[in-house]
Amino acid sequence: MGLRPPLFSEHERLGARIVPFGGWDMPLHYGSQIEEHHAVRRAAGMFDVSHMRPVDIEGPDALPFLRHLLANDAAKLTAPGKALYACMLNPQGGVVDDLILYFCGPERYRAVVNAGTAEKDIAWMHAQAEGRQVDIRSRDDLAMIAVQGPDARARVEPLLPDGLRASAMQVGPFFAAEDAHWFVGRTGYTGEDGFEIMLPSADVAALWRALVAADVRPCGLGARDTLRLEAGMNLYGQDMDETVSPLDAGLGWTIAWQPQERDFIGRDALNARRDHPDRRDFVGLLLTGRGVLRPHQSVLAGGRVVGEVTSGGFSPTLERSIAFARVEPGTAADCAVDIRGKPVSARIVKPPFVRHGRILIAL
Amino acid sequence: MSDAPAELRYTKSHEWIRDNGDGTVTVGITDHAQEALGDIVFVEIPDQGREVDADEACAVVESVKAASDIYSPLAGEVIESNALLNDSPDAINNSPYDEGWIFRLAPNDMTALAGLLDAAAYQQVVEEEA
């Protein structure tokens, strides 16, 4: 049995199918994964993401520490509340984890890291922080709900604490607002507008029930996976890990090469990787033949294997199968995927597939 | 508790088998199986005329979660596959014992049908898995 989030009994009451994920027992779906997916694209859905781990990073050296720790540049965060997506690399240029970093105020940051990697990440951060005046604090005391969809913010608004409501409703995309106890980020993992709300574990069941009453549909990890895939967002452990550089995972845009003198972990390895003949392109795939794309299937072109699917599945919005794949640079757009020994035709496309309810690729 | 009609036969791998009384049987997957798989999004049905052995994988049901092989419960010839599943794979979710049937088989030996599980024995298999 895995760790149980504070909302576990709520999930059981709602008839969730529970699966192990990152050391936790989490809801996969509450009946129909596809209907949950559509609820987020069309109205509002919510996810218990209490398995994810907020980590507060504070102190006089917080900024120089983060500028060394992350491949994206924390110095880009100048406006309070602003968020940054970043990869934390090892010296070989592999991804230790991907995370969202929020700038809370001078010398005060909050990172949110993946569940399965949280303990490893925190140990890594501590090791890198040696000799610096920085306090790294894991916030196991917080729970987290992501409310996502075009109607999400409006349905959350009346449920926010009075002192936080106005500021939370005013923040722009990829910004956050906080009070002494709650933290509301206008961020997410679905390609829709919405909030990610961190709050004391003791308060989370009341918020969850109020959201259910406000007609926000509970959604499980299944819908979360198809939503993020459609939105062109990577999943750690599947699309990249410690052996894969961000340059091979479609995350080149998260590397801040400038200023050149910034010395971040993995920089030299990434420099060498840029023009390396083994470097792979990270692409989207649309299956034009019949079947379902799944991780580890081979991508075929010119009669040979040119790559591998990293994430794949059925897209409820497109009603087609889509995937991410790592392929040789220059692979022709018309290719095939080996599904149970048969080549099935596919086309390389540029993710995202869907954002804000709209299909962004030609079918 | 999922539904398992008394008039059908079953396998441990969650197929159901209906005796059509004309020397053929119809095969599908159980209510329990469809529920465990979740939303079904693609079905690969066997070609008509295919000869299959007992326990041979001859169809694939893909849900949002994963792909699952469907095994022929008996040896015989596939005489028809459910073409409705090409466009409406979710018929298996909505109607596992009727519209969601997968293929019809002419078994080489109809008496082998009696060797398959009855509803009570199948329910026990499901309970033991839980």
Side-chain angles (χ1 to χ4, degrees), chain B residues 63-96:
Chain B
S63 74
V64 284
K65 228 160 73 180
S68 304
D69 283 322
I70 305 304
Y71 301 94
S72 181
L74 302 167
E77 182 188 342
V78 174
I79 52 172
E80 190 184 0
S81 285
N82 186 359
L84 170 76
L85 299 178
N86 287 331
D87 292 325
S88 304
D90 58 343
I92 293 178
N93 291 122
N94 301 331
S95 176

PDB file of all heavy atoms in Angstrom, chain B residues 63-96:
ATOM      1  N   SER B  63      -8.123   0.124 -24.092  1.00  0.00           N
ATOM      2  CA  SER B  63      -8.833   1.141 -23.322  1.00  0.00           C
ATOM      3  C   SER B  63      -7.937   2.365 -23.208  1.00  0.00           C
ATOM      4  O   SER B  63      -6.804   2.358 -23.696  1.00  0.00           O
ATOM      5  CB  SER B  63      -9.166   0.608 -21.931  1.00  0.00           C
ATOM      6  OG  SER B  63      -8.002   0.569 -21.141  1.00  0.00           O
ATOM      7  N   VAL B  64      -8.435   3.403 -22.573  1.00  0.00           N
ATOM      8  CA  VAL B  64      -7.600   4.565 -22.309  1.00  0.00           C
ATOM      9  C   VAL B  64      -6.349   4.161 -21.538  1.00  0.00           C
ATOM     10  O   VAL B  64      -5.322   4.817 -21.627  1.00  0.00           O
ATOM     11  CB  VAL B  64      -8.378   5.651 -21.537  1.00  0.00           C
ATOM     12  CG1 VAL B  64      -9.322   6.395 -22.452  1.00  0.00           C
ATOM     13  CG2 VAL B  64      -9.148   5.060 -20.372  1.00  0.00           C
ATOM     14  N   LYS B  65      -6.428   3.065 -20.811  1.00  0.00           N
ATOM     15  CA  LYS B  65      -5.343   2.643 -19.936  1.00  0.00           C
ATOM     16  C   LYS B  65      -4.303   1.790 -20.649  1.00  0.00           C
ATOM     17  O   LYS B  65      -3.111   2.045 -20.529  1.00  0.00           O
ATOM     18  CB  LYS B  65      -5.955   1.811 -18.793  1.00  0.00           C
ATOM     19  CG  LYS B  65      -5.495   2.184 -17.421  1.00  0.00           C
ATOM     20  CD  LYS B  65      -6.462   1.699 -16.367  1.00  0.00           C
ATOM     21  CE  LYS B  65      -6.440   0.207 -16.124  1.00  0.00           C
ATOM     22  NZ  LYS B  65      -7.410  -0.204 -15.095  1.00  0.00           N
ATOM     23  N   ALA B  66      -4.763   0.749 -21.363  1.00  0.00           N
ATOM     24  CA  ALA B  66      -3.818  -0.240 -21.885  1.00  0.00           C
ATOM     25  C   ALA B  66      -4.474  -1.110 -22.940  1.00  0.00           C
ATOM     26  O   ALA B  66      -5.681  -1.082 -23.120  1.00  0.00           O
ATOM     27  CB  ALA B  66      -3.311  -1.121 -20.742  1.00  0.00           C
ATOM     28  N   ALA B  67      -3.636  -1.894 -23.624  1.00  0.00           N
ATOM     29  CA  ALA B  67      -4.123  -2.868 -24.603  1.00  0.00           C
ATOM     30  C   ALA B  67      -4.235  -4.226 -23.924  1.00  0.00           C
ATOM     31  O   ALA B  67      -3.350  -4.617 -23.159  1.00  0.00           O
ATOM     32  CB  ALA B  67      -3.148  -2.950 -25.771  1.00  0.00           C
ATOM     33  N   SER B  68      -5.324  -4.953 -24.200  1.00  0.00           N
ATOM     34  CA  SER B  68      -5.508  -6.281 -23.624  1.00  0.00           C
ATOM     35  C   SER B  68      -5.848  -7.280 -24.716  1.00  0.00           C
ATOM     36  O   SER B  68      -6.722  -7.023 -25.543  1.00  0.00           O
ATOM     37  CB  SER B  68      -6.663  -6.276 -22.617  1.00  0.00           C
ATOM     38  OG  SER B  68      -6.444  -5.317 -21.633  1.00  0.00           O
ATOM     39  N   ASP B  69      -5.170  -8.421 -24.694  1.00  0.00           N
ATOM     40  CA  ASP B  69      -5.483  -9.485 -25.638  1.00  0.00           C
ATOM     41  C   ASP B  69      -6.779 -10.179 -25.237  1.00  0.00           C
ATOM     42  O   ASP B  69      -7.065 -10.348 -24.047  1.00  0.00           O
ATOM     43  CB  ASP B  69      -4.351 -10.527 -25.637  1.00  0.00           C
ATOM     44  CG  ASP B  69      -3.135 -10.033 -26.410  1.00  0.00           C
ATOM     45  OD1 ASP B  69      -3.322  -9.380 -27.443  1.00  0.00           O
ATOM     46  OD2 ASP B  69      -1.995 -10.300 -25.960  1.00  0.00           O
ATOM     47  N   ILE B  70      -7.534 -10.580 -26.261  1.00  0.00           N
ATOM     48  CA  ILE B  70      -8.734 -11.382 -26.046  1.00  0.00           C
ATOM     49  C   ILE B  70      -8.424 -12.772 -26.597  1.00  0.00           C
ATOM     50  O   ILE B  70      -7.924 -12.903 -27.716  1.00  0.00           O
ATOM     51  CB  ILE B  70      -9.942 -10.773 -26.796  1.00  0.00           C
ATOM     52  CG1 ILE B  70     -10.130  -9.312 -26.388  1.00  0.00           C
ATOM     53  CG2 ILE B  70     -11.193 -11.597 -26.553  1.00  0.00           C
ATOM     54  CD1 ILE B  70     -10.297  -9.078 -24.907  1.00  0.00           C
ATOM     55  N   TYR B  71      -8.714 -13.793 -25.811  1.00  0.00           N
ATOM     56  CA  TYR B  71      -8.343 -15.164 -26.182  1.00  0.00           C
ATOM     57  C   TYR B  71      -9.567 -15.935 -26.642  1.00  0.00           C
ATOM     58  O   TYR B  71     -10.643 -15.811 -26.041  1.00  0.00           O
ATOM     59  CB  TYR B  71      -7.702 -15.854 -24.976  1.00  0.00           C
ATOM     60  CG  TYR B  71      -6.472 -15.124 -24.491  1.00  0.00           C
ATOM     61  CD1 TYR B  71      -6.557 -14.174 -23.469  1.00  0.00           C
ATOM     62  CD2 TYR B  71      -5.232 -15.343 -25.089  1.00  0.00           C
ATOM     63  CE1 TYR B  71      -5.440 -13.473 -23.046  1.00  0.00           C
ATOM     64  CE2 TYR B  71      -4.110 -14.652 -24.671  1.00  0.00           C
ATOM     65  CZ  TYR B  71      -4.219 -13.718 -23.646  1.00  0.00           C
ATOM     66  OH  TYR B  71      -3.111 -13.024 -23.239  1.00  0.00           O
ATOM     67  N   SER B  72      -9.383 -16.724 -27.680  1.00  0.00           N
ATOM     68  CA  SER B  72     -10.488 -17.582 -28.111  1.00  0.00           C
ATOM     69  C   SER B  72     -10.682 -18.671 -27.068  1.00  0.00           C
ATOM     70  O   SER B  72      -9.736 -19.384 -26.729  1.00  0.00           O
ATOM     71  CB  SER B  72     -10.186 -18.201 -29.474  1.00  0.00           C
ATOM     72  OG  SER B  72     -11.287 -18.998 -29.835  1.00  0.00           O
ATOM     73  N   PRO B  73     -11.893 -18.838 -26.564  1.00  0.00           N
ATOM     74  CA  PRO B  73     -12.111 -19.845 -25.521  1.00  0.00           C
ATOM     75  C   PRO B  73     -12.066 -21.276 -26.059  1.00  0.00           C
ATOM     76  O   PRO B  73     -11.827 -22.201 -25.305  1.00  0.00           O
ATOM     77  CB  PRO B  73     -13.499 -19.506 -24.984  1.00  0.00           C
ATOM     78  CG  PRO B  73     -14.157 -18.686 -26.047  1.00  0.00           C
ATOM     79  CD  PRO B  73     -13.090 -18.015 -26.830  1.00  0.00           C
ATOM     80  N   LEU B  74     -12.289 -21.416 -27.361  1.00  0.00           N
ATOM     81  CA  LEU B  74     -12.360 -22.750 -27.966  1.00  0.00           C
ATOM     82  C   LEU B  74     -11.621 -22.716 -29.294  1.00  0.00           C
ATOM     83  O   LEU B  74     -11.476 -21.658 -29.897  1.00  0.00           O
ATOM     84  CB  LEU B  74     -13.823 -23.134 -28.226  1.00  0.00           C
ATOM     85  CG  LEU B  74     -14.784 -23.158 -27.028  1.00  0.00           C
ATOM     86  CD1 LEU B  74     -16.223 -23.236 -27.517  1.00  0.00           C
ATOM     87  CD2 LEU B  74     -14.464 -24.318 -26.100  1.00  0.00           C
ATOM     88  N   ALA B  75     -11.220 -23.895 -29.785  1.00  0.00           N
ATOM     89  CA  ALA B  75     -10.632 -23.990 -31.125  1.00  0.00           C
ATOM     90  C   ALA B  75     -11.763 -23.967 -32.150  1.00  0.00           C
ATOM     91  O   ALA B  75     -12.844 -24.499 -31.897  1.00  0.00           O
ATOM     92  CB  ALA B  75      -9.830 -25.276 -31.248  1.00  0.00           C
ATOM     93  N   GLY B  76     -11.513 -23.338 -33.292  1.00  0.00           N
ATOM     94  CA  GLY B  76     -12.555 -23.302 -34.313  1.00  0.00           C
ATOM     95  C   GLY B  76     -12.275 -22.248 -35.355  1.00  0.00           C
ATOM     96  O   GLY B  76     -11.148 -21.747 -35.462  1.00  0.00           O
ATOM     97  N   GLU B  77     -13.326 -21.901 -36.114  1.00  0.00           N
ATOM     98  CA  GLU B  77     -13.189 -20.925 -37.189  1.00  0.00           C
ATOM     99  C   GLU B  77     -14.010 -19.683 -36.861  1.00  0.00           C
ATOM    100  O   GLU B  77     -15.183 -19.781 -36.477  1.00  0.00           O
ATOM    101  CB  GLU B  77     -13.677 -21.540 -38.512  1.00  0.00           C
ATOM    102  CG  GLU B  77     -13.515 -20.589 -39.691  1.00  0.00           C
ATOM    103  CD  GLU B  77     -14.191 -21.125 -40.966  1.00  0.00           C
ATOM    104  OE1 GLU B  77     -14.468 -22.330 -41.025  1.00  0.00           O
ATOM    105  OE2 GLU B  77     -14.435 -20.307 -41.871  1.00  0.00           O
ATOM    106  N   VAL B  78     -13.386 -18.525 -37.037  1.00  0.00           N
ATOM    107  CA  VAL B  78     -14.107 -17.264 -36.836  1.00  0.00           C
ATOM    108  C   VAL B  78     -15.053 -17.090 -38.024  1.00  0.00           C
ATOM    109  O   VAL B  78     -14.616 -17.061 -39.178  1.00  0.00           O
ATOM    110  CB  VAL B  78     -13.122 -16.073 -36.768  1.00  0.00           C
ATOM    111  CG1 VAL B  78     -13.889 -14.753 -36.695  1.00  0.00           C
ATOM    112  CG2 VAL B  78     -12.187 -16.227 -35.577  1.00  0.00           C
ATOM    113  N   ILE B  79     -16.348 -16.993 -37.751  1.00  0.00           N
ATOM    114  CA  ILE B  79     -17.277 -16.857 -38.875  1.00  0.00           C
ATOM    115  C   ILE B  79     -17.812 -15.432 -39.014  1.00  0.00           C
ATOM    116  O   ILE B  79     -18.314 -15.061 -40.060  1.00  0.00           O
ATOM    117  CB  ILE B  79     -18.442 -17.869 -38.793  1.00  0.00           C
ATOM    118  CG1 ILE B  79     -19.126 -17.797 -37.436  1.00  0.00           C
ATOM    119  CG2 ILE B  79     -17.945 -19.281 -39.077  1.00  0.00           C
ATOM    120  CD1 ILE B  79     -20.384 -18.637 -37.385  1.00  0.00           C
ATOM    121  N   GLU B  80     -17.662 -14.630 -37.986  1.00  0.00           N
ATOM    122  CA  GLU B  80     -18.106 -13.237 -38.088  1.00  0.00           C
ATOM    123  C   GLU B  80     -17.458 -12.426 -36.963  1.00  0.00           C
ATOM    124  O   GLU B  80     -17.255 -12.946 -35.865  1.00  0.00           O
ATOM    125  CB  GLU B  80     -19.639 -13.153 -37.951  1.00  0.00           C
ATOM    126  CG  GLU B  80     -20.199 -11.777 -38.276  1.00  0.00           C
ATOM    127  CD  GLU B  80     -21.721 -11.680 -38.041  1.00  0.00           C
ATOM    128  OE1 GLU B  80     -22.317 -12.692 -37.621  1.00  0.00           O
ATOM    129  OE2 GLU B  80     -22.274 -10.596 -38.266  1.00  0.00           O
ATOM    130  N   SER B  81     -17.123 -11.155 -37.256  1.00  0.00           N
ATOM    131  CA  SER B  81     -16.642 -10.254 -36.211  1.00  0.00           C
ATOM    132  C   SER B  81     -17.574  -9.056 -36.152  1.00  0.00           C
ATOM    133  O   SER B  81     -18.218  -8.713 -37.144  1.00  0.00           O
ATOM    134  CB  SER B  81     -15.212  -9.798 -36.509  1.00  0.00           C
ATOM    135  OG  SER B  81     -14.312 -10.839 -36.242  1.00  0.00           O
ATOM    136  N   ASN B  82     -17.624  -8.430 -34.998  1.00  0.00           N
ATOM    137  CA  ASN B  82     -18.583  -7.335 -34.798  1.00  0.00           C
ATOM    138  C   ASN B  82     -18.023  -6.025 -35.368  1.00  0.00           C
ATOM    139  O   ASN B  82     -17.267  -5.319 -34.708  1.00  0.00           O
ATOM    140  CB  ASN B  82     -18.886  -7.186 -33.308  1.00  0.00           C
ATOM    141  CG  ASN B  82     -19.977  -6.168 -33.060  1.00  0.00           C
ATOM    142  OD1 ASN B  82     -20.500  -5.547 -33.993  1.00  0.00           O
ATOM    143  ND2 ASN B  82     -20.330  -5.991 -31.787  1.00  0.00           N
ATOM    144  N   ALA B  83     -18.436  -5.704 -36.588  1.00  0.00           N
ATOM    145  CA  ALA B  83     -17.924  -4.514 -37.276  1.00  0.00           C
ATOM    146  C   ALA B  83     -18.353  -3.214 -36.585  1.00  0.00           C
ATOM    147  O   ALA B  83     -17.701  -2.177 -36.758  1.00  0.00           O
ATOM    148  CB  ALA B  83     -18.387  -4.514 -38.735  1.00  0.00           C
ATOM    149  N   LEU B  84     -19.419  -3.287 -35.789  1.00  0.00           N
ATOM    150  CA  LEU B  84     -19.855  -2.092 -35.042  1.00  0.00           C
ATOM    151  C   LEU B  84     -18.713  -1.548 -34.176  1.00  0.00           C
ATOM    152  O   LEU B  84     -18.602  -0.328 -33.952  1.00  0.00           O
ATOM    153  CB  LEU B  84     -21.046  -2.468 -34.141  1.00  0.00           C
ATOM    154  CG  LEU B  84     -21.486  -1.424 -33.113  1.00  0.00           C
ATOM    155  CD1 LEU B  84     -22.265  -0.302 -33.798  1.00  0.00           C
ATOM    156  CD2 LEU B  84     -22.328  -2.044 -32.005  1.00  0.00           C
ATOM    157  N   LEU B  85     -17.839  -2.455 -33.723  1.00  0.00           N
ATOM    158  CA  LEU B  85     -16.773  -2.037 -32.806  1.00  0.00           C
ATOM    159  C   LEU B  85     -15.718  -1.170 -33.492  1.00  0.00           C
ATOM    160  O   LEU B  85     -14.960  -0.471 -32.820  1.00  0.00           O
ATOM    161  CB  LEU B  85     -16.115  -3.263 -32.171  1.00  0.00           C
ATOM    162  CG  LEU B  85     -17.054  -4.148 -31.341  1.00  0.00           C
ATOM    163  CD1 LEU B  85     -16.300  -5.363 -30.814  1.00  0.00           C
ATOM    164  CD2 LEU B  85     -17.687  -3.368 -30.186  1.00  0.00           C
ATOM    165  N   ASN B  86     -15.657  -1.213 -34.834  1.00  0.00           N
ATOM    166  CA  ASN B  86     -14.712  -0.339 -35.541  1.00  0.00           C
ATOM    167  C   ASN B  86     -15.040   1.132 -35.292  1.00  0.00           C
ATOM    168  O   ASN B  86     -14.134   1.954 -35.108  1.00  0.00           O
ATOM    169  CB  ASN B  86     -14.746  -0.618 -37.048  1.00  0.00           C
ATOM    170  CG  ASN B  86     -14.084  -1.945 -37.376  1.00  0.00           C
ATOM    171  OD1 ASN B  86     -13.179  -2.392 -36.670  1.00  0.00           O
ATOM    172  ND2 ASN B  86     -14.545  -2.592 -38.433  1.00  0.00           N
ATOM    173  N   ASP B  87     -16.314   1.448 -35.295  1.00  0.00           N
ATOM    174  CA  ASP B  87     -16.724   2.845 -35.097  1.00  0.00           C
ATOM    175  C   ASP B  87     -17.150   3.140 -33.664  1.00  0.00           C
ATOM    176  O   ASP B  87     -17.074   4.280 -33.229  1.00  0.00           O
ATOM    177  CB  ASP B  87     -17.881   3.195 -36.046  1.00  0.00           C
ATOM    178  CG  ASP B  87     -17.418   3.202 -37.501  1.00  0.00           C
ATOM    179  OD1 ASP B  87     -16.262   3.594 -37.744  1.00  0.00           O
ATOM    180  OD2 ASP B  87     -18.209   2.787 -38.372  1.00  0.00           O
ATOM    181  N   SER B  88     -17.636   2.127 -32.972  1.00  0.00           N
ATOM    182  CA  SER B  88     -18.150   2.342 -31.609  1.00  0.00           C
ATOM    183  C   SER B  88     -17.545   1.335 -30.640  1.00  0.00           C
ATOM    184  O   SER B  88     -18.249   0.464 -30.122  1.00  0.00           O
ATOM    185  CB  SER B  88     -19.679   2.220 -31.599  1.00  0.00           C
ATOM    186  OG  SER B  88     -20.251   3.108 -32.514  1.00  0.00           O
ATOM    187  N   PRO B  89     -16.241   1.467 -30.384  1.00  0.00           N
ATOM    188  CA  PRO B  89     -15.618   0.514 -29.449  1.00  0.00           C
ATOM    189  C   PRO B  89     -16.241   0.574 -28.057  1.00  0.00           C
ATOM    190  O   PRO B  89     -16.208  -0.411 -27.320  1.00  0.00           O
ATOM    191  CB  PRO B  89     -14.150   0.954 -29.429  1.00  0.00           C
ATOM    192  CG  PRO B  89     -14.116   2.349 -29.976  1.00  0.00           C
ATOM    193  CD  PRO B  89     -15.277   2.451 -30.911  1.00  0.00           C
ATOM    194  N   ASP B  90     -16.846   1.720 -27.722  1.00  0.00           N
ATOM    195  CA  ASP B  90     -17.440   1.859 -26.393  1.00  0.00           C
ATOM    196  C   ASP B  90     -18.708   1.028 -26.231  1.00  0.00           C
ATOM    197  O   ASP B  90     -19.272   0.970 -25.144  1.00  0.00           O
ATOM    198  CB  ASP B  90     -17.699   3.332 -26.057  1.00  0.00           C
ATOM    199  CG  ASP B  90     -18.613   4.018 -27.051  1.00  0.00           C
ATOM    200  OD1 ASP B  90     -18.802   3.486 -28.168  1.00  0.00           O
ATOM    201  OD2 ASP B  90     -19.155   5.098 -26.717  1.00  0.00           O
ATOM    202  N   ALA B  91     -19.165   0.369 -27.319  1.00  0.00           N
ATOM    203  CA  ALA B  91     -20.295  -0.561 -27.170  1.00  0.00           C
ATOM    204  C   ALA B  91     -19.953  -1.637 -26.145  1.00  0.00           C
ATOM    205  O   ALA B  91     -20.840  -2.160 -25.468  1.00  0.00           O
ATOM    206  CB  ALA B  91     -20.638  -1.194 -28.519  1.00  0.00           C
ATOM    207  N   ILE B  92     -18.665  -1.970 -26.019  1.00  0.00           N
ATOM    208  CA  ILE B  92     -18.267  -2.974 -25.018  1.00  0.00           C
ATOM    209  C   ILE B  92     -18.506  -2.448 -23.603  1.00  0.00           C
ATOM    210  O   ILE B  92     -18.947  -3.177 -22.726  1.00  0.00           O
ATOM    211  CB  ILE B  92     -16.796  -3.391 -25.221  1.00  0.00           C
ATOM    212  CG1 ILE B  92     -16.656  -4.141 -26.551  1.00  0.00           C
ATOM    213  CG2 ILE B  92     -16.298  -4.242 -24.052  1.00  0.00           C
ATOM    214  CD1 ILE B  92     -15.230  -4.561 -26.880  1.00  0.00           C
ATOM    215  N   ASN B  93     -18.243  -1.163 -23.388  1.00  0.00           N
ATOM    216  CA  ASN B  93     -18.520  -0.578 -22.073  1.00  0.00           C
ATOM    217  C   ASN B  93     -20.029  -0.517 -21.802  1.00  0.00           C
ATOM    218  O   ASN B  93     -20.491  -0.822 -20.709  1.00  0.00           O
ATOM    219  CB  ASN B  93     -17.980   0.856 -21.969  1.00  0.00           C
ATOM    220  CG  ASN B  93     -16.466   0.925 -21.956  1.00  0.00           C
ATOM    221  OD1 ASN B  93     -15.858   1.566 -22.807  1.00  0.00           O
ATOM    222  ND2 ASN B  93     -15.834   0.277 -20.989  1.00  0.00           N
ATOM    223  N   ASN B  94     -20.760  -0.102 -22.830  1.00  0.00           N
ATOM    224  CA  ASN B  94     -22.188   0.180 -22.625  1.00  0.00           C
ATOM    225  C   ASN B  94     -23.046  -1.077 -22.631  1.00  0.00           C
ATOM    226  O   ASN B  94     -24.108  -1.099 -22.017  1.00  0.00           O
ATOM    227  CB  ASN B  94     -22.686   1.143 -23.713  1.00  0.00           C
ATOM    228  CG  ASN B  94     -21.920   2.442 -23.696  1.00  0.00           C
ATOM    229  OD1 ASN B  94     -21.434   2.871 -22.646  1.00  0.00           O
ATOM    230  ND2 ASN B  94     -21.760   3.077 -24.862  1.00  0.00           N
ATOM    231  N   SER B  95     -22.601  -2.099 -23.359  1.00  0.00           N
ATOM    232  CA  SER B  95     -23.438  -3.280 -23.526  1.00  0.00           C
ATOM    233  C   SER B  95     -22.542  -4.508 -23.734  1.00  0.00           C
ATOM    234  O   SER B  95     -22.491  -5.083 -24.811  1.00  0.00           O
ATOM    235  CB  SER B  95     -24.348  -3.055 -24.754  1.00  0.00           C
ATOM    236  OG  SER B  95     -25.112  -4.203 -25.016  1.00  0.00           O
ATOM    237  N   PRO B  96     -21.822  -4.913 -22.677  1.00  0.00           N
ATOM    238  CA  PRO B  96     -20.801  -5.950 -22.856  1.00  0.00           C
ATOM    239  C   PRO B  96     -21.364  -7.290 -23.337  1.00  0.00           C
ATOM    240  O   PRO B  96     -20.661  -8.030 -24.018  1.00  0.00           O
ATOM    241  CB  PRO B  96     -20.154  -6.070 -21.476  1.00  0.00           C
ATOM    242  CG  PRO B  96     -21.125  -5.448 -20.523  1.00  0.00           C
ATOM    243  CD  PRO B  96     -21.852  -4.408 -21.293  1.00  0.00           C
TER     244      PRO B  96
END
